[in-house]
Amino acid sequence: MTVETYQPTPAPVASAPRIGFVSLGCPKNLVDSERILTQLRTEGYDIVNHYHDANLVIVNTCGFIDSAVQESLDAIGEALAENGRVIVTGCLGAKDNEIREVHPNVLAITGPHAYEEVMGYVHQYLPKPAQVPFGNLVPDTGVKLTPRHFAYLKISEGCNHRCTFCIIPSMRGDLVSRPIGDVLSEAKRLANAGVKELLVISQDTSAYGVDVKHKTGFWDGQPVKTSMLALCEALGELGIWVRLHYVYPYPSVDEVIPLMAAGKLLPYLDIPLQHANQRILKLMKRPGSAERTLERIRKWREICPELTIRSTFIVGFPGETEEEFEELLQFLRDAQLDRVGCFTYSDVEGAKANELPDPVPEAVKQERYARFMEVQQAISAARLQAKIGQTLKVLIDEVDEEGAIGRCYADAPEIDGLVYLNGVTHVQPGDWVDALIEHADEYDLWGRIEA
């Protein structure tokens, strides 16, 4: 790969230093970007959309899988070529040597959620203005990179699991839960600012508070336990949509299902199950078993019949046999999950699974992926067909000349399906409407607003 040696002269510093920002990766990285951008705006820096307008560029990288690493390296290279002054942060930043081997001319590198360190480097290479004339224009919610009507609420950093296919703990560390008072204060600010949907994210939402032994914190002068249940109970009083992501199927999850049945939380769980065969799960160092998970899902649906469950799975994990893959397919048929993502296994630099014997040939991985998706598409289509004739509350995301596009309780932004309202042009993003569902395919719904 070409190494940059030429650094174009950046634009001269004006009254307000200008910074370009590139954010890559998952919603957790997006929240990190929002926090850095908020601090930059608070200190008087301007955020610009073009490299040539910037005095300096920050690239927040992803390093989870090889394709993400390459995308991050490419983004750094583009920023260097177009601007020449680049600070790198994020997950790939934990691999300082790997970045500098390709891009030795970056100004500085930090790991993930290193907000103060990033700001220290910004101050070093682009001193903040003496006066901050527009500091009072930064909203109470900070700078958000999502549309105004939904926001991600990150409740912790890091993870205590050591899944053999994952390197996140080596980059983001062990679980560190945010103080519950801070989380709830942020959630209330967002709700007061007009956010209508909060997406709760972390590496392991079910484990919230484990690292602090679920100690009691305080919010609005009241004691609140640092636990997923207490957090969900408090969020459920805000009167907006609350959606849970990255939930491991621990017994403690059983306690939040009644909140969903009562309308306090969206009846939606994002549970990364990864596989169903016990031997493969053990090789992955994943908790739980297919039998216990199926029983738990059955009980959840008894309490909350409208519950939507999304999950992700890996096919072609090292050593996976045809019989073990067939067991996974049968699990899909038994579980009847609503939303499912599938990935073929690929080596990730630094992951323990790379050392496992009997790698699955690429052609077999692709064939299994196709069979997996065929089974799941039929399940998804059938479950969406069951929604025809129902009236669903829809949150509008987009409006164009053809109509409105939104999501119901079963759809998280960017990863799940959509609800199309053809011909509906009198609404705005962030509006709630009631839609009668008239048509469905494998992933999406079509409806009309009832008069």
Side-chain angles (χ1 to χ4, degrees), residues 264-282:
K264 298 291 187 179
L265 305 176
L266 287 181
Y268 180 101
L269 281 177
D270 174 10
I271 306 175
L273 296 171
Q274 308 301 1
H275 213 279
N277 174 265
Q278 196 62 40
R279 189 184 76 89
I280 296 297
L281 286 171
K282 187 175 181 180

Side-chain angles (χ1 to χ4, degrees), residues 1-63:
M1 184 174 292
T2 303
V3 175
E4 290 80 4
T5 55
Y6 168 68
Q7 295 189 10
T9 302
V13 177
S15 57
R18 301 184 299 276
I19 293 179
F21 202 102
V22 179
S23 184
L24 305 171
C26 66
K28 293 176 283 293
N29 230 32
L30 186 74
V31 172
D32 292 345
S33 295
E34 290 174 341
R35 290 180 179 175
I36 296 170
L37 287 167
T38 297
Q39 188 60 36
L40 289 169
R41 291 292 293 120
T42 299
E43 294 187 6
Y45 292 94
D46 275 348
I47 309 302
V48 296
N49 294 325
H50 301 286
Y51 291 121
H52 65 269
D53 292 333
N55 305 114
L56 181 151
V57 176
I58 299 172
V59 181
N60 191 5
T61 60
C62 178

Side-chain angles (χ1 to χ4, degrees), residues 297-330:
I297 289 172
R298 184 188 66 78
K299 290 181 178 178
W300 291 345
R301 285 174 170 160
E302 286 180 356
I303 298 169
C304 185
E306 65 270 33
L307 177 65
T308 290
I309 301 176
R310 108 169 304 277
S311 190
T312 52
F313 295 88
I314 297 172
V315 298
F317 192 79
E320 182 190 59
T321 66
E322 178 62 23
E323 291 74 20
E324 290 165 337
F325 173 70
E326 285 288 349
E327 186 177 335
L328 174 56
L329 294 184
Q330 187 57 49

